[in-house]
Amino acid sequence: MEKKPSVGLFVTCLADVMRPSVAFAAIHLLEAAGADVHVPEAQTCCGQPAFNSGADAPARAIACQVIEAFQRFDYVVAPSGSCAGMIKTHYAALFENAPDWALRHEELAAKTYELTQFLHDVMGWRPDGVALNAKAAYHDSCSGLRELGVKRQPRALLAGVEGLELTPLVGEEACCGFGGAFCVKYPEISNAIVADKARAIEATGADLLLAGDLGCLMNMAGKLSRAGSRVKCFHVAEALAGMAEGDGI
């Protein structure tokens, strides 16, 4: 029997604290694709909030912890382009003067993927027997799109969900206004951006809004809810796993 590839699931802080169903959906999908899934208890944050705030020393300590927790697996997968992008691309800046850690990071970066990227590009997985009778718009999160090239993968996977219609979203590649610390530092600008995004989402006539990053989804879901929208928001993993039910995020 062929050995299953071992996958270390990086759950992400937001999924852990705000939306555990995203992590459970990711596990379901990875196992369906034929992976041996592990969730290291030692994992915490990816370090991005500290890194983006200029706190390099704490960010470096977190990065070291992530490397040690995940280096033993064949792959590292996160249901977040933001976290996967931090691990894969930005850790390098933290280890410019630490060659041993830089090498360990290079090895980890080479096997780190965003969830839909891994399912589509590495495992060649497609949904089987999943149905969702709805019209959905898809938002491309900044980090996944620009740092990892995640664009076609989620759409290709969602095309295999029976009954799901994907409708174009004007400005689907535009930022939602969240940006981690950006929405805290520049709340008025952030609110204006997400207001534009909410209007574009409403204009599609979609029942659902899907995306691959929980931070973006929470930001857009909050704005839509405050505007009295009927659009429900779900992580793409939930839709692919047949878990896009209820009120959404």
Side-chain angles (χ1 to χ4, degrees), residues 80-82 114 141-151 213:
S80 164
S82 180
E114 181 271 343
S141 300
C142 292
S143 294
L145 175 67
R146 294 169 176 83
E147 295 177 4
L148 303 176
V150 175
K151 172 75 175 182
D213 264 274

Side-chain angles (χ1 to χ4, degrees), residues 80-152:
S80 164
S82 180
C83 295
M86 178 65 191
I87 295 170
K88 191 174 185 70
T89 65
H90 296 298
Y91 278 9
L94 297 170
F95 298 124
E96 290 179 346
N97 298 316
D100 291 343
W101 279 105
L103 179 59
R104 293 176 68 177
H105 167 248
E106 288 178 10
E107 294 173 350
L108 192 75
K111 56 185 181 181
T112 297
Y113 294 87
E114 181 271 343
L115 178 64
T116 62
Q117 181 186 44
F118 180 75
L119 291 171
H120 184 275
D121 296 350
V122 179
M123 300 301 286
W125 178 83
R126 297 293 183 274
D128 183 19
V130 181
L132 181 57
N133 294 315
K135 181 179 181 181
Y138 194 90
H139 165 76
D140 295 294
S141 300
C142 292
S143 294
L145 175 67
R146 294 169 176 83
E147 295 177 4
L148 303 176
V150 175
K151 172 75 175 182
R152 60 185 176 84

Side-chain angles (χ1 to χ4, degrees), residues 219-232:
N219 187 44
M220 293 182 288
K223 190 64 174 179
L224 288 166
S225 176
R226 292 189 294 275
S229 174
R230 66 175 183 83
V231 178
K232 298 178 180 179

Side-chain angles (χ1 to χ4, degrees), residues 37-229:
V37 185
H38 302 262
V39 184
E41 293 184 7
Q43 67 177 294
T44 55
C45 178
C46 69
Q48 185 175 169
F51 180 76
N52 289 346
S53 299
D56 285 355
R60 187 177 301 108
I62 294 171
C64 290
Q65 182 184 36
V66 171
I67 292 171
E68 290 185 330
F70 285 90
Q71 63 184 1
R72 68 182 185 273
F73 303 113
D74 296 326
Y75 299 99
V76 181
V77 176
S80 164
S82 180
C83 295
M86 178 65 191
I87 295 170
K88 191 174 185 70
T89 65
H90 296 298
Y91 278 9
L94 297 170
F95 298 124
E96 290 179 346
N97 298 316
D100 291 343
W101 279 105
L103 179 59
R104 293 176 68 177
H105 167 248
E106 288 178 10
E107 294 173 350
L108 192 75
K111 56 185 181 181
T112 297
Y113 294 87
E114 181 271 343
L115 178 64
T116 62
Q117 181 186 44
F118 180 75
L119 291 171
H120 184 275
D121 296 350
V122 179
M123 300 301 286
W125 178 83
R126 297 293 183 274
D128 183 19
V130 181
L132 181 57
N133 294 315
K135 181 179 181 181
Y138 194 90
H139 165 76
D140 295 294
S141 300
C142 292
S143 294
L145 175 67
R146 294 169 176 83
E147 295 177 4
L148 303 176
V150 175
K151 172 75 175 182
R152 60 185 176 84
Q153 299 93 331
R155 291 170 173 80
L157 295 177
L158 289 168
V161 176
E162 183 179 349
L164 181 63
E165 176 191 352
L166 281 180
T167 186
L169 170 62
V170 174
E172 61 190 12
E173 295 186 357
C175 179
C176 73
F178 177 62
F182 177 86
C183 65
V184 178
K185 293 180 178 179
Y186 309 102
E188 293 182 358
I189 298 174
S190 174
N191 184 59
I193 294 172
V194 75
D196 287 344
K197 178 68 73 170
R199 284 190 288 269
I201 294 166
E202 279 289 326
T204 66
D207 307 302
L208 307 178
L209 172 67
L210 304 176
D213 264 274
L214 194 49
C216 301
L217 278 167
M218 290 173 59
N219 187 44
M220 293 182 288
K223 190 64 174 179
L224 288 166
S225 176
R226 292 189 294 275
S229 174

